[in-house]
């Protein structure tokens, strides 16, 4: 994707590829900010209220005030107007605003950034690569969707070098945790299992809806502490994210899996049906 395809709005102005963020913005200098990514289908964002609520939880976790919803709505409208994006992503960020060169904050208005761009469809299945680094489930930012994403950049590059679609982390206790931008599920004896939030994963919006909707459809879904070895001991593995929906995993490192398996296919069908019926669940 070229930068020319990305629509950008910052603090009340559609800027696209023009300079727009001050060098001393705390989101730039120390990663003091949060963001959300929502799927866009036929020009409309999916599950926006849930994304807004999670952003406010992330802001509160950083000690910042809740986002101005009217401000966000202005930016979202600005980047989605015009030619509808058939399939893509909406990413919006709120930072601590102008700050010093260190980690201290100063009294400054927060910075609002909203972007949108088309995206190619994801493949039918993907490979996961376990990385040698861990998620810290006790970190101050555990479970927060912050702009401090360097760990994810390094991990995803490691996975891509090994032909992986996603990288996967254990936490500091050696438990299965999450991917760089996706939640992970395993299937054992017909039951769907996923790490609980106290293991350190982000509370993914798609994760949340898959749990709710699959339970309502009669599937057993359990939030359960899992060893990293569960990736190699399960019948099926799938991941979820805002733009991947429910995606089967055909390999974890060199361990091959049949994908998408029957339970994964059912979960994907449930999610596809319910999300098409309810764009803002």
């Amino acid at each position: 994707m070229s930068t020319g395809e990305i629509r950008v709005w910052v603090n009340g102005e559609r800027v696209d590829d023009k300079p727009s963020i001050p060098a001393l913005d705390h989101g730039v200098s120390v990663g003091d900010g949060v963001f959300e990514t929502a799927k866009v289908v036929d020009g409309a964002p999916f599950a926006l209220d849930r994304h807004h609520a999670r952003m406010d939880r992330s802001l509160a976790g950083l000690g910042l005030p809740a986002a101005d919803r009217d401000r966000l709505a202005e930016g979202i409208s600005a980047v989605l107007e015009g030619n509808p994006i058939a399939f893509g992503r909406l990413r919006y960020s709120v930072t601590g605003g102008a700050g010093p060169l260190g980690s201290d904050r100063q009294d400054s208005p927060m910075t609002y950034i909203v972007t949108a761009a088309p995206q190619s469809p994801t493949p039918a299945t993907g490979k996961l690569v376990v990385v040698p680094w861990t998620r810290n489930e006790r970190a101050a930012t555990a479970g927060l969707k912050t702009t401090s994403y360097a760990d994810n950049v390094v991990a995803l590059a490691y996975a891509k070098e090994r032909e992986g679609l996603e990288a996967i982390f254990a936490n500091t206790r050696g438990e299965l945790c999450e991917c760089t931008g996706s939640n992970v599920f395993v299937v054992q004896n017909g039951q769907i299992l996923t790490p609980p939030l106290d293991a350190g994963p982000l509370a993914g919006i798609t994760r949340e809806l898959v749990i709710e909707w699959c339970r309502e459809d009669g599937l057993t879904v359990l939030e359960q502490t899992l060893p990293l070895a569960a990736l190699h001991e399960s019948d099926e593995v799938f991941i979820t994210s805002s733009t991947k929906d429910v995606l089967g995993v055909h390999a974890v490192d060199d361990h091959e899996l049949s994908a998408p398996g029957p339970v994964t296919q059912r979960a994907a069908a449930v999610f596809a049906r319910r999300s098409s019926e309810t764009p803002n669940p």
Side-chain angles (χ1 to χ4, degrees):
M1 181 192 305
S2 70
T3 56
E5 295 179 90
I6 303 176
R7 307 170 186 182
V8 183
W9 173 98
V10 178
N11 286 341
E13 181 184 2
R14 179 77 180 265
V15 295
D16 292 349
D17 57 354
K18 295 190 298 184
S20 52
I21 306 295
L24 295 183
D25 189 277
H26 229 213
V28 174
S29 60
V30 296
D32 182 23
V34 305
F35 76 99
E36 287 291 323
T37 298
K39 176 175 65 173
V40 175
V41 178
D42 295 330
F46 176 69
L48 202 54
D49 285 346
R50 292 190 188 228
H51 282 286
H52 284 351
R54 186 175 62 180
M55 169 169 272
D56 284 345
R57 293 195 299 271
S58 294
L59 286 166
L62 292 185
L64 292 168
D68 182 334
R69 298 286 179 91
D70 290 338
R71 194 70 159 153
L72 289 176
E74 177 189 349
I76 291 168
S77 176
V79 298
L80 292 182
E81 67 184 4
N83 189 32
I85 295 173
F87 178 75
R89 68 171 62 200
L90 169 76
R91 173 176 165 140
Y92 54 101
S93 309
V94 177
T95 83
L101 294 179
S103 296
D104 289 337
R105 289 192 180 116
Q106 63 189 36
D107 186 15
S108 170
M110 295 195 297
T111 299
Y112 286 78
I113 305 163
V114 184
T115 63
Q119 180 169 316
S120 300
T122 54
T125 63
K127 174 184 174 180
L128 301 183
V129 174
V130 177
V131 298
W133 308 287
T134 59
R135 281 283 196 246
N136 181 359
E137 72 282 359
R138 299 181 64 190
T141 55
L144 308 182
K145 197 170 179 68
T146 77
T147 56
S148 302
Y149 248 47
D151 280 354
N152 291 331
V153 172
V154 172
L156 189 57
Y158 180 96
K160 296 284 188 180
E161 289 168 359
R162 290 154 180 81
E163 300 183 340
L165 177 70
E166 255 284 25
I168 195 153
F169 293 96
N171 63 18
T172 65
R173 300 189 296 253
E175 300 161 351
L176 183 61
C177 187
E178 66 176 346
C179 302
T180 66
S182 314
N183 291 108
V184 62
F185 293 75
V186 301
V187 178
Q188 297 180 353
N189 301 317
Q191 297 183 327
I192 300 173
L193 311 175
T194 193
L197 296 182
D198 62 12
L202 182 73
I205 302 302
T206 306
R207 172 191 184 275
E208 181 177 274
L209 290 169
V210 164
I211 292 171
E212 291 180 16
W213 288 345
C214 284
R215 284 174 175 169
E216 291 171 4
D217 202 67
L219 286 160
T220 299
V221 187
L222 303 174
E223 296 179 77
Q224 180 175 308
T225 300
L226 297 162
L228 190 61
L231 293 169
H232 295 84
E233 297 169 351
S234 299
D235 304 313
E236 303 173 38
V237 177
F238 64 87
I239 58 176
T240 62
S241 77
S242 288
T243 55
K244 295 182 181 69
D245 292 344
V246 176
L247 182 72
V249 171
H250 66 256
V252 178
D253 296 327
D254 295 329
H255 175 68
E256 295 186 358
L257 293 149
S258 177
V263 177
T264 300
Q265 290 182 60
R266 181 173 168 187
V270 169
F271 185 83
R273 173 173 54 82
R274 294 292 297 272
S275 61
S276 66
E277 294 170 350
T278 314
N280 192 22

